[in-house]
Amino acid sequence: VYLARKVRNRRRVLDCSLRDFAERARVNFATLSRIERGYGMPTFAILLQVAKLIGMPLGRMIEEAERRA
């Protein structure tokens, strides 16, 4: 849930549509949509791409998600 909120909030701060954000992250639109809704388990590669785009180190993003779980 934390990751979903973090990605959605950052996308909104960047004023990107879901489709634009997915393209910029080089992630399939449907996959990103599932991530934002808290469904499924993104691969490491997808997490890395999303972390880069939202400007947060992947390790920090994972640590924060674990703390809030």
Side-chain angles (χ1 to χ4, degrees):
V1 175
Y2 167 78
L3 178 62
R5 276 193 233 129
K6 187 73 173 176
V7 171
R8 185 181 307 113
N9 290 342
R10 184 64 180 154
R11 178 175 63 80
R12 289 178 177 162
V13 165
L14 294 171
D15 196 29
C16 284
S17 69
L18 184 60
R19 188 165 307 280
D20 288 341
F21 196 81
E23 287 177 13
R24 289 173 63 185
R26 298 185 185 132
V27 174
N28 179 277
F29 170 81
T31 300
L32 188 59
S33 177
R34 283 192 302 274
I35 291 170
E36 282 199 2
R37 290 181 286 130
Y39 295 110
M41 179 67 73
T43 65
F44 178 80
I46 290 172
L47 285 174
L48 186 58
Q49 287 299 107
V50 170
K52 284 180 186 176
L53 188 57
I54 66 173
M56 176 182 276
L58 181 57
R60 183 171 152 218
M61 190 167 71
I62 291 170
E63 287 173 4
E64 287 186 17
E66 286 178 342
R67 275 195 306 246
R68 296 164 195 255

